[in-house]
Amino acid sequence: MAPIVEARKVTRILQEAVPVTLVRDIDFVAEKGEFISVTGPSGSGKSSLLYLLGLLDVPTQGHVLIDGEDTVGLDAGALAGVRLRKIGFVFQFHFLLPEFTVLENVMLPMRRLGALSGEAIVARGKQLLVDLDMENQFDKRPDQLSGGQRQRVAVARALANDPMLILADEPTGNLDTKNSEIVQGIFARLVHEQGRTVIAVTHEEAFARTTDRNIHLVDGKIESDRRQKP
């Protein structure tokens, strides 16, 4: 079975007046069912690496493979298709659309993919929210929810098209301790009960300690990649 995501000698350089190297020579493999945290000081390339793994950016050199498929050379439309089918994203700022209800936000990726009937989309959207204890919030707007609730909706949306890879960028950065623990627990269940792969950038040591594996970046390079005790 191919790794869920793999980086082979990935380098990303911003071609400005003075070129800036965001990440350099990254070799990285994530298998099915891994919970991985990415840590490092500010400016170390954590988010840059996540965006490369999620095909939101493309490497200057090297290759990113998703489920065994080499994405180098794919055009923008093909990259968007891979993202839609195989990757779910959760960001620090949830990016829920304020004009839509909670349920409508969760259904958006399914509507874009177009693989399910309208009835099936509604049913799956509701079930995802029920699974995250949001069953009484279907018709609310995002501004009627707490920060923790909004982030749970963002997780449900990330799961809409049943991706095996979830990428999270500081997903607990705006949450209090209680809601941070709830979101961490949700990610752990996705990994250990559903076999998904979760890669989360975080500056919170407590969050990083809950993951099975930690990758630490310094100056755009992997300084350490270690398994952690459960």
Side-chain angles (χ1 to χ4, degrees):
M1 183 180 295
I4 295 298
V5 60
E6 180 177 2
R8 297 178 180 172
K9 298 295 182 186
V10 167
T11 294
R12 179 67 172 101
I13 301 172
L14 291 181
Q15 300 294 345
E16 300 182 344
V18 178
V20 177
T21 300
L22 302 177
V23 297
R24 182 187 298 278
D25 293 332
I26 296 289
D27 282 307
F28 171 87
V29 173
E31 305 286 354
K32 182 178 184 292
E34 286 199 276
F35 189 6
I36 302 170
S37 55
V38 180
T39 58
S42 179
S44 61
K46 303 185 297 297
S47 294
S48 297
L49 174 59
L50 202 74
Y51 295 162
L52 289 162
L53 297 177
L55 312 183
L56 295 171
D57 194 9
V58 295
T60 306
Q61 301 170 14
H63 298 259
V64 174
L65 288 77
I66 303 294
D67 197 22
E69 178 183 2
D70 193 344
T71 62
V72 168
L74 296 182
D75 63 24
L79 290 172
V82 175
R83 286 196 303 269
L84 189 60
R85 296 191 312 273
K86 298 186 177 182
I87 306 172
F89 296 93
V90 180
F91 298 98
Q92 178 177 359
F93 302 102
H94 45 77
F95 297 123
L96 300 177
L97 297 181
E99 64 270 28
F100 293 124
T101 66
V102 164
L103 180 58
E104 288 168 341
N105 268 279
V106 174
M107 294 191 302
L108 282 172
M110 291 182 277
R111 294 194 186 283
R112 284 187 61 203
L113 186 60
L116 300 175
S117 68
E119 184 176 304
I121 287 172
V122 172
R124 177 163 174 77
K126 288 182 176 180
Q127 188 59 57
L128 286 167
L129 289 164
V130 168
D131 291 345
L132 294 172
D133 297 322
M134 295 291 289
E135 60 271 18
N136 297 320
Q137 316 297 334
F138 295 163
D139 297 323
K140 289 186 177 180
R141 304 281 176 176
D143 63 3
Q144 295 175 293
L145 304 178
S146 69
Q149 288 174 321
R150 287 194 292 269
Q151 201 62 302
R152 275 185 270 173
V153 176
V155 172
R157 182 183 58 188
L159 295 172
N161 289 329
D162 200 25
M164 291 307 297
L165 176 62
I166 305 295
L167 300 177
D169 193 5
E170 299 285 5
T172 60
N174 284 332
L175 302 181
D176 59 25
T177 300
K178 179 181 178 181
N179 281 298
S180 292
E181 291 173 351
I182 290 172
V183 171
Q184 291 166 27
I186 290 169
F187 285 141
R189 290 197 302 274
L190 293 176
V191 172
H192 302 133
E193 296 177 11
Q194 299 183 19
R196 301 182 196 271
T197 300
V198 174
I199 303 174
V201 164
T202 183
H203 68 276
E204 299 179 16
E205 292 183 7
F207 185 1
R209 286 195 298 269
T210 69
T211 63
D212 307 317
R213 176 180 168 194
N214 174 253
I215 292 174
H216 191 74
L217 297 183
V218 175
D219 294 333
K221 289 188 172 185
I222 295 178
E223 182 182 70
S224 64
D225 181 351
R226 59 187 177 85
R227 302 285 173 179
Q228 304 190 124
K229 294 181 180 180

